[in-house]
Amino acid sequence: MIKRAPHSEGITVAFQPLEARDALGRNLTYGLLDRLGLLIVGGAFNGRSFPTEAELSETHGVSRSVTREAVKMLTAKGLVSARPRQGTIIQPDSQWNLFDPDVLRWMLERRFSIDLLRHFGQLRVAIEPAAAAMAAREASEDGLALIRAGFARMQAADAGHDDVLEADVAFHVAILKASGNPFFGQFRDVVSTALKTSIRYTNRIVGRSADLDAHEAVMDAILARDDATAQTRMRVIIEDALDAIRRNEEALA
């Protein structure tokens, strides 16, 4: 029998259960988690009930245990909750764990949101200047070497020998690590995703890759152990990106 699964834009896609199961990949639980997460975040279930465990198992050609585990993982991420006599309920996005890399990725894979891009910029300006100041005060020699290596990648990317986006992210993540604050380290995945998104779009706005001089100024301040200057120069980089977003909202929408 052909089953139909909801699509993130409100249409349905026909498939056979065995084909649906094969599409989940080798790890059925994580494959189902990924599919359901994308559908939930994409709004496929808006105005409709979330399928029962039996319906999910039948539709996707997987066992009840696989379905149950995937739904538990969705619950842990704040996307759904189980209520007595009500079944599984999709939670409002205010309850989603935005620091979960999967949730963040699903949000980015749905239709682009200028608000989300702005929120990423606000997250960066709250965290990265402080991390740069801490790196200037606390970074070990290994941490400083990591920052130098990140900037060297940016130089190589500018010359066409490395990936521009990955090199830029590597530099910023190196500063988070060099700060010595384990909480900043835990933000690595979230900030990396935020950086990749904001850098991708802001670079498109300004028509060039990252400003090497501005990034070198941050690095030089950290190497000189000048925490105030490191903080200020990092803030300038991120504020410039936020200003570009504000000036070009219509082009990005």
Side-chain angles (χ1 to χ4, degrees):
M1 179 184 297
I2 293 178
K3 302 293 180 183
R4 294 183 179 272
H7 187 276
S8 60
E9 294 180 356
I11 62 177
T12 56
V13 179
F15 52 73
Q16 297 285 353
L18 288 177
E19 294 173 352
R21 185 180 64 187
D22 290 343
L24 297 178
R26 296 181 63 182
N27 190 314
L28 296 178
T29 301
Y30 282 95
L32 183 59
L33 168 72
D34 193 54
R35 177 176 294 174
L36 293 176
L38 279 169
L39 289 172
I40 292 170
V41 173
F45 297 108
N46 290 352
R48 58 190 297 177
S49 299
F50 190 72
T52 65
E53 183 181 295
E55 290 169 338
L56 288 172
S57 296
E58 183 179 3
T59 300
H60 296 90
V62 296
S63 68
R64 292 283 192 96
S65 61
V66 166
T67 300
R68 193 174 303 116
E69 187 61 28
V71 172
K72 284 181 180 179
M73 295 168 75
L74 290 171
T75 302
K77 296 174 186 294
L79 270 65
V80 301
S81 64
R83 301 178 182 177
R85 296 186 296 278
Q86 293 185 37
T88 301
I89 306 296
I90 295 176
Q91 294 283 73
D93 56 13
S94 60
Q95 299 299 312
W96 299 350
N97 180 5
L98 302 183
F99 293 108
D100 184 291
D102 287 331
V103 176
L104 202 53
R105 176 171 54 82
W106 294 330
M107 292 178 69
L108 295 175
E109 290 183 17
R110 70 182 184 182
R111 184 176 180 179
F112 175 71
S113 165
I114 186 68
D115 288 335
L116 184 60
L117 183 58
R118 188 185 301 108
H119 293 160
F120 278 160
Q122 292 165 349
L123 174 68
R124 293 183 62 195
V125 82
I127 292 175
E128 293 190 69
M134 292 186 66
R137 293 192 301 267
E138 308 291 344
S140 65
E141 287 304 316
D142 287 344
L144 296 178
L146 196 63
I147 294 172
R148 291 191 190 95
F151 184 71
R153 284 193 62 183
M154 292 186 70
Q155 291 178 307
D158 192 60
H161 304 307
D162 202 335
D163 181 84
V164 171
L165 181 58
E166 293 295 335
D168 201 349
V169 169
F171 177 80
H172 287 271
V173 170
I175 292 174
L176 289 174
K177 293 179 179 178
S179 73
N181 186 312
F183 290 99
F184 285 144
Q186 290 293 315
F187 272 107
R188 182 184 64 250
D189 291 339
V190 174
V191 172
S192 293
T193 304
L195 281 168
K196 287 179 181 179
T197 304
S198 60
I199 290 170
R200 183 183 299 116
Y201 284 95
T202 52
N203 284 0
R204 189 184 79 186
I205 292 169
V206 300
R208 58 166 171 75
S209 57
D211 185 335
L212 283 181
D213 289 341
H215 285 72
E216 185 173 21
V218 173
M219 179 182 69
D220 287 345
I222 292 174
L223 296 179
R225 302 294 187 180
D226 185 343
D227 58 340
T229 300
Q231 183 170 13
T232 298
R233 290 177 176 173
M234 179 63 83
R235 182 176 293 276
V236 167
I237 290 175
I238 304 170
E239 289 287 2
D240 283 349
L242 279 169
D243 286 343
I245 293 169
R246 297 185 188 104
R247 292 193 304 268
N248 294 271
E249 286 193 14
E250 290 186 5
L252 283 169

